[in-house]
Amino acid sequence: MRSTPVSPAAPAFRTLSTRLMARRLRMLDLRLAIAIGVLVVCVTAFVYWQVRVPLDGTVRRHGVLAGVRFLALVLGGCVLAAAALAAERQTALAATPPGPEWLALPIEPAHVEQHLAREASAPALAFFVPAAAAWIAGVGLLPALWLAALALAFPVVWWLVTRAACFIALRRAVAADGPARTLPAAWRALVSARHTAPPVRHAHTVRFPTRSRWRALATLDALVSLRAGSPRARLVAAALALALSVLVWFVVHREPLETRALSFAAFTLACTGLGAWAAWRGAGDPASAVRPLPITLGDAWRARAIPLLLV
């Protein structure tokens, strides 16, 4: 009687994720690491100041439980923003799944789906920075027991919500009709990724001699972003979050500090969507098409930074 061997797929995928993360960390040069460090310090200081002052006022006026609820709302906003980023990343991965041809390997689709969820959730780890700053803002204002409970609950809730967002986003991104609906979501994503869209001709062209180089890039960004796809989805998500932030600020009638926290969480989500759009446009064009163009890094930065500043 033959025994069924244990599938080594799970540890293999964990090893793959670990090596991918290690390789990405090794790709960071000194200048980029310094820039990221400065950005982390700025975000931490900003969030700390934005949370510390209203939290102190809430505790003094309404007590400890109100302060705990206020801090929990801020942390919940970070979780929702992380879930939105993970869902958006999962949608992009469903269009072009990374890795080898998974369908040719003797593995279960659940392992592929878990790997895609881990890849999609990796950028959402950035929200631990503002969450940690908000938690630090509660030190000295809230009891240590409540702070410990929030610190333990945040990673668990982050993991559950981001995985749920990835689960829903994958199934929405690879919706199918007929018998294909019975296939696992990971298989539907892999099969649909094999079909390439036919080339589309556009009447608009960008002429560098007639305008400044960064304006030409900004025009190209606008033309690409108006098409259906990942950049437009990012802009739509950012617009919805911004509208929600304004709606909460002017329509929702709650405690002023609580309203401010909810509006700030939605505004942070909108900024995340705009940042994701800028990052996608900065790296979305093929290097073979961009390298021969007479543009500099400053032109590329101005083409994205100035529109974002105006927004």
Side-chain angles (χ1 to χ4, degrees):
M1 187 174 182
R2 299 175 62 183
S3 60
T4 303
V6 179
S7 174
F13 273 102
R14 286 195 295 268
T15 303
L16 173 63
S17 299
T18 302
R19 292 182 177 179
L20 285 174
M21 184 63 67
R23 187 175 68 178
R24 289 162 183 163
L25 292 176
R26 288 196 299 267
M27 292 174 62
L28 297 178
D29 57 5
L30 180 59
R31 290 179 297 179
L32 183 57
I34 294 175
I36 293 176
V38 172
L39 182 61
V40 168
V41 172
C42 293
V43 170
T44 302
F46 175 77
V47 175
Y48 176 87
W49 182 255
Q50 289 293 320
V51 175
R52 178 76 178 188
V53 175
L55 179 60
D56 181 68
T58 301
V59 173
R60 292 178 183 274
R61 292 180 182 180
H62 305 288
V64 173
L65 292 180
V68 171
R69 185 176 62 176
F70 176 86
L71 184 56
L73 286 174
V74 175
L75 296 178
C78 294
V79 170
L80 293 179
L85 181 60
E88 183 276 329
R89 177 62 177 162
Q90 181 70 286
T91 303
L93 290 178
T96 55
E101 298 294 336
W102 304 114
L103 286 175
L105 300 178
I107 54 178
E108 295 294 329
H111 294 301
V112 179
E113 183 173 343
Q114 292 173 5
H115 175 69
L116 293 178
R118 283 194 294 267
E119 288 290 296
S121 302
L125 290 171
F127 284 92
F128 273 81
V129 173
W135 183 86
I136 294 173
V139 176
L141 299 177
L142 301 178
L145 184 61
W146 280 112
L147 290 175
L150 291 174
L152 293 176
F154 180 82
V156 176
V157 176
W158 178 92
W159 187 89
L160 292 175
V161 175
T162 52
R163 287 306 173 91
C166 292
F167 180 88
I168 297 172
L170 180 62
R171 279 148 183 81
R172 289 180 60 87
V174 295
D177 298 326
R181 289 182 297 180
T182 61
L183 293 175
W187 284 2
R188 295 202 303 268
L190 295 174
V191 172
S192 63
R194 294 174 179 270
H195 301 283
T196 58
V200 180
R201 293 184 178 181
H202 298 277
H204 302 281
T205 57
V206 178
R207 296 181 176 88
F208 283 94
T210 61
R211 66 185 71 187
S212 61
R213 292 173 296 188
W214 75 267
R215 289 180 182 272
L217 282 177
T219 303
L220 177 62
D221 290 343
L223 294 175
V224 173
S225 300
L226 292 178
R227 299 169 52 191
S230 183
R232 192 173 74 173
R234 287 170 168 84
L235 290 180
V236 170
L240 291 176
L242 184 59
L244 179 62
S245 175
V246 176
L247 184 66
V248 169
W249 186 269
F250 289 103
V251 177
V252 177
H253 300 288
R254 302 178 68 91
E255 291 292 334
L257 293 178
E258 186 175 344
T259 301
R260 179 182 178 181
L262 293 174
S263 181
F264 176 73
F267 182 74
T268 303
L269 181 59
C271 293
T272 302
L274 291 175
W277 169 83
W280 192 94
R281 284 303 305 140
D285 297 324
S288 58
V290 177
R291 191 177 296 113
L293 298 178
I295 57 176
T296 63
L297 183 60
D299 297 325
W301 184 87
R302 292 178 66 188
R304 282 91 197 193
I306 292 179
L308 292 182
L309 180 61
L310 294 177
V311 173

